[in-house]
């Protein structure tokens, strides 16, 4: 099969981690006879420096016309002084909106080899951590109007959160469908004791529940959810929530699995063309030092194969290789426990090479 991939290296550690994912994809192509044709796309701070905008129309077009997009990370101190709509992150938001990828899937699953890296007590981790956050990605407060003004007396700011029923329904359906393929428990997370958007959210979820009688729907307030994720993560199967709550809860969920560096994500809309990115940021403090963890990006590439290219076996092959490398005792610094007896610390590029070496066709 031949597939066109738009590749966004971005800023900070983005280029390093994406290079490792491309190493892995190259080898998959070799093993399974596929051709992955990569087109470089500028986005984020590097695009601001080069083109004066975090994402140009031309670059967005390349992404929309590709078979899928693989992204590292964007942002950094250098561009922090810019107004919100000129910042590197705005490129990412415009990309998500421009591709129409409203459904962001962020798995929180603990790898057994990394149980020691979780900050939670062993008794909690041992009950199992395996859930998915389905985050609405192109609506809500991220995409409402933002403004700051001064009435002569005092400065004030406003960020509008708005959702319509259709936006809620389409992500709600993804939540139910995702739960249906798993343990059939869907937890809808909102703040209906305060927000109108959340009350609408809850109503729509309950209306949809009638169409999915096999799925058990529960509601949870977002503050309680933040608490439950550390208290008893085993209770969750699929969480469905709006954009900003999903942003916050997915960082929390990733941490309890050991490291945010391990978590991939997929973002899909109504077509096969998806956006695949690790959920961590550009980590400028460790950029260029060859110490970043490329696994979140490598697993994002695996998700791309599975969800956009229907390459199940190839995706399994990557996940098995990651498992093998972790079994082999190799760790980047973020997943290296204190002491770490018998484990070997490796850098970003060595981790990518090891995973590539462990790729084996098993069919
Ligand atoms: C994420 C990130 C982004 C978000 C930032 C970089 C805009 O935190 O993907 O979780 O808030 O969506
Ligand atoms: Mg985030």
């Amino acid at each position: 099969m031949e597939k066109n991939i738009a590749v966004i290296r971005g800023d900070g550690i983005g280029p390093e981690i994406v290079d490792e994912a491309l190493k892995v994809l190259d080898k998959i192509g070799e093993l399974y006879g596929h051709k992955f044709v990569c087109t470089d796309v500028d986005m984020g701070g590097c695009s601001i420096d080069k083109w004066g905008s975090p994402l140009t129309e031309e670059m967005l077009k390349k992404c929309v016309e590709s078979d899928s997009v693989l992204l590292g990370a964007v942002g950094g101190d250098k561009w922090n002084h810019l107004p919100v709509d000129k910042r590197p992150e705005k490129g990412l938001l415009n990309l998500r909106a421009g591709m129409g990828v409203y459904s962001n899937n962020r798995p929180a699953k603990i790898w057994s080899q990394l149980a020691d890296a979780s900050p939670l007590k062993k008794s909690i981790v041992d009950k199992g951590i395996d859930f998915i956050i389905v985050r609405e990605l192109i609506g809500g407060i991220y995409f409402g109007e933002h403004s700051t003004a001064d009435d002569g007396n005092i400065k004030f700011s406003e960020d509008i959160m708005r959702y319509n029923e259709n936006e809620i329904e389409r992500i709600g359906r993804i939540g139910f469908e995702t739960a249906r393929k798993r343990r059939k428990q869907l937890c809808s997370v909102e703040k209906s004791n305060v927000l109108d958007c959340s009350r609408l959210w809850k109503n729509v979820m309950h209306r949809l529940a009638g169409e999915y009688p096999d799925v058990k729907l529960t509601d949870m307030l977002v503050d309680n959810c933040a608490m439950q994720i550390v208290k008893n993560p085993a209770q969750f199967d699929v969480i469905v929530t709006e954009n900003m709550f999903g942003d916050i809860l997915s960082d929390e969920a990733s941490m309890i699995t050991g490291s945010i560096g391990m978590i991939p994500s997929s973002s899909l809309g109504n077509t096969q063309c998806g956006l695949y990115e690790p959920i961590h940021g550009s980590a400028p403090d460790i950029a260029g030092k060859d110490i970043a963890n490329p696994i979140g990006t490598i697993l994002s590439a695996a998700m791309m194969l599975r969800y956009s290219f229907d390459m199940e076996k190839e995706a399994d092959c990557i996940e098995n290789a990651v498992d093998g490398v972790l079994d082999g005792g190799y760790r980047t610094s973020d997943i290296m426990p204190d002491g770490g007896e018998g484990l070997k610390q490796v850098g970003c590029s060595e981790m990518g090479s090891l995973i590539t070496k462990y790729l084996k066709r098993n069919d």
Side-chain angles (χ1 to χ4, degrees), residues 79-201:
W79 307 281
N80 278 350
H81 65 283
L82 294 170
V84 160
D85 64 333
K86 301 238 161 22
R87 287 172 60 109
E89 291 81 358
K90 188 66 183 175
L92 177 57
L93 300 186
N94 287 348
L95 176 68
R96 289 172 177 170
M99 291 179 69
V101 288
Y102 58 83
S103 168
N104 181 222
N105 176 328
R106 299 188 163 186
K109 186 171 176 177
I110 193 143
W111 293 77
S112 58
Q113 304 93 330
L114 301 186
D116 285 349
S118 171
L120 296 186
K121 277 192 203 137
K122 192 172 175 309
S123 58
I124 297 178
V125 173
D126 283 350
K127 285 200 235 152
I129 302 176
D130 178 9
F131 63 96
I132 289 181
I133 297 184
V134 174
R135 169 187 176 195
E136 198 292 321
L137 201 61
I138 57 174
I141 199 163
Y142 274 56
F143 290 89
E145 300 88 67
H146 309 285
S147 66
T148 296
D150 192 332
D151 68 1
N153 241 338
I154 195 163
K155 233 186 196 176
F156 53 89
S157 296
E158 214 169 54
D159 300 278
I160 307 289
M161 182 191 275
R162 181 178 293 120
Y163 269 110
N164 69 40
E165 289 175 291
N166 295 341
E167 289 169 320
I168 299 173
E169 179 172 334
R170 66 184 181 180
I171 192 70
R173 289 193 183 280
I174 303 282
F176 280 102
E177 303 283 347
T178 308
R180 184 168 259 180
K181 291 192 202 120
R182 294 172 47 99
R183 301 192 299 275
K184 300 184 173 44
Q185 292 171 43
L186 180 65
C187 180
S188 161
V189 171
E190 30 71 3
K191 187 76 186 169
S192 55
N193 53 349
V194 176
L195 303 176
D196 263 41
C197 282
S198 285
R199 281 192 275 272
L200 185 63
W201 180 279

Side-chain angles (χ1 to χ4, degrees), residues 20 60 84 147 190 220 224 264 272 303 362:
E20 299 317 308
L60 173 60
V84 160
S147 66
E190 30 71 3
M220 194 177 279
N224 183 26
Q272 288 275 101
M303 284 182 112
N362 45 11

Side-chain angles (χ1 to χ4, degrees), residues 106 135 247 250-251 279:
R106 299 188 163 186
R135 169 187 176 195
D247 177 46
S250 61
D251 270 30
I279 78 158

Side-chain angles (χ1 to χ4, degrees), residues 169-305:
E169 179 172 334
R170 66 184 181 180
I171 192 70
R173 289 193 183 280
I174 303 282
F176 280 102
E177 303 283 347
T178 308
R180 184 168 259 180
K181 291 192 202 120
R182 294 172 47 99
R183 301 192 299 275
K184 300 184 173 44
Q185 292 171 43
L186 180 65
C187 180
S188 161
V189 171
E190 30 71 3
K191 187 76 186 169
S192 55
N193 53 349
V194 176
L195 303 176
D196 263 41
C197 282
S198 285
R199 281 192 275 272
L200 185 63
W201 180 279
K202 192 170 169 181
N203 284 340
V204 173
M205 291 299 155
H206 281 267
R207 169 162 61 73
L208 288 179
E211 291 180 45
Y212 300 87
D214 51 325
V215 175
K216 184 169 180 288
L217 173 70
T218 52
D219 306 298
M220 194 177 279
L221 296 174
V222 63
D223 45 353
N224 183 26
C225 182
M227 193 167 73
Q228 296 298 331
I229 284 176
V230 288
K231 190 172 170 223
N232 179 18
Q235 73 186 283
F236 295 112
D237 178 17
V238 179
I239 288 175
V240 64
T241 192
E242 66 90 43
N243 203 346
M244 185 166 63
F245 297 161
D247 177 46
I248 299 167
L249 294 177
S250 61
D251 270 30
E252 187 192 10
S254 71
M255 209 50 233
I256 64 167
T257 68
S259 169
I260 194 168
M262 297 291 297
I263 312 288
S265 81
S266 67
S267 304
L268 285 156
N270 291 331
T271 71
Q272 288 275 101
C273 175
L275 168 61
Y276 296 86
E277 50 173 323
I279 78 158
H280 59 72
S282 58
D285 52 322
I286 60 163
K289 296 187 181 157
D290 193 32
I291 55 173
N293 184 351
I295 296 181
T297 317
I298 291 171
L299 293 173
S300 299
M303 284 182 112
M304 171 187 293
L305 301 185

